[in-house]
Amino acid sequence: FNVLVHERLEGAVDRELLGACLARAVRAHDAFRLRFGEDGDGVPRVRRVPETPDAPLSWDHLDLSGEPDPSGAVRARCEQELSRPLDLRDGPLFRAAVLTAGPDAVHLVLTAHHIVTDAWALNALTLRILSDYRIRASRNALPASGEKDADPVGRDDSP
C-alpha cells in the first residue's frame, strides 16, 4: 500500500542541504506523524505522535555507484521500496532515501503509506523539497558581498 516518488538530480548535489530541505518539508505535514490502530474493544483509532523538532529526520543514503549497473540498482531499490511495509501502529509512515549512482547522479526516493498521502501529494512534497533545495543551493553559490542576506539560509519560512 505504498506510494513512491523518484527524482533524479544531476550535477553536484549537496546531500546535507538536500536532507535539511527534506526534513523541513516533511515536518510541515502532520499526516506523517499519524499512527493507526485499535483500542481494547477493536475500535479503530488514529493518534498523532508529538512533534520532536530536535530529532533529526531519518533518511537512508546509499552509494550504489560501485554496482555493476548503478541505474539498475536504483530501479531495484525503488521496486523494493514499493513492497517494503510501513508500520501503521508504530510508524513512521514515510521513508526517504538519497541514492548515489555516480559522481553526478543522485536520486531522491520518497515512500509513504497511502493512508497518509497519495501520489499527487507526494509529488507536491517532492517539488517543495527540490524548490527549497534550489533556492538555498543558489544562495550558497553566490559570492560573498559583505551585505547581509535578507533571508538567511538557516531561516525556515515553511507554513
Side-chain angles (χ1 to χ4, degrees):
F1 302 111
N2 295 347
V3 291
L4 179 137
V5 171
H6 166 219
E7 292 288 335
R8 178 185 165 105
L9 307 167
E10 296 181 353
V13 175
D14 180 339
R15 289 162 186 81
E16 186 175 320
L17 178 60
L18 182 60
C21 294
L22 169 66
R24 253 188 305 285
V26 169
R27 281 195 180 101
H29 295 279
D30 284 346
F32 296 130
R33 294 199 327 265
L34 295 177
R35 304 297 182 261
F36 299 83
E38 297 176 350
D39 66 13
D41 297 326
V43 176
R45 298 287 181 202
V46 178
R47 65 184 169 86
R48 184 177 64 155
V49 296
E51 182 177 7
T52 52
D54 298 343
L57 176 70
S58 175
W59 50 282
D60 293 334
H61 177 236
L62 300 173
D63 187 350
L64 302 174
S65 61
E67 295 290 324
D69 178 11
S71 295
V74 169
R75 281 191 304 278
R77 175 64 184 222
C78 289
E79 289 173 18
Q80 291 169 355
E81 277 298 304
L82 282 171
S83 61
R84 199 169 125 210
L86 291 154
D87 186 348
L88 287 173
R89 181 175 303 277
D90 297 318
L93 298 179
F94 174 83
R95 280 193 300 262
V98 175
L99 311 176
T100 302
D104 293 327
V106 173
H107 300 259
L108 177 63
V109 179
L110 306 178
T111 309
H113 195 284
H114 78 97
I115 202 166
V116 294
T117 192
D118 60 14
W120 183 88
L122 199 55
N123 189 52
L125 177 70
T126 303
L127 292 174
R128 181 176 180 171
I129 293 165
L130 296 178
S131 294
D132 187 27
Y133 175 81
R134 285 184 189 106
I135 290 167
R136 292 170 189 273
S138 68
R139 287 184 196 151
N140 290 344
L142 294 175
S145 66
E147 293 182 21
K148 282 193 159 193
D149 189 349
D151 183 18
V153 170
R155 193 171 102 201
D156 183 5
D157 290 333
S158 60

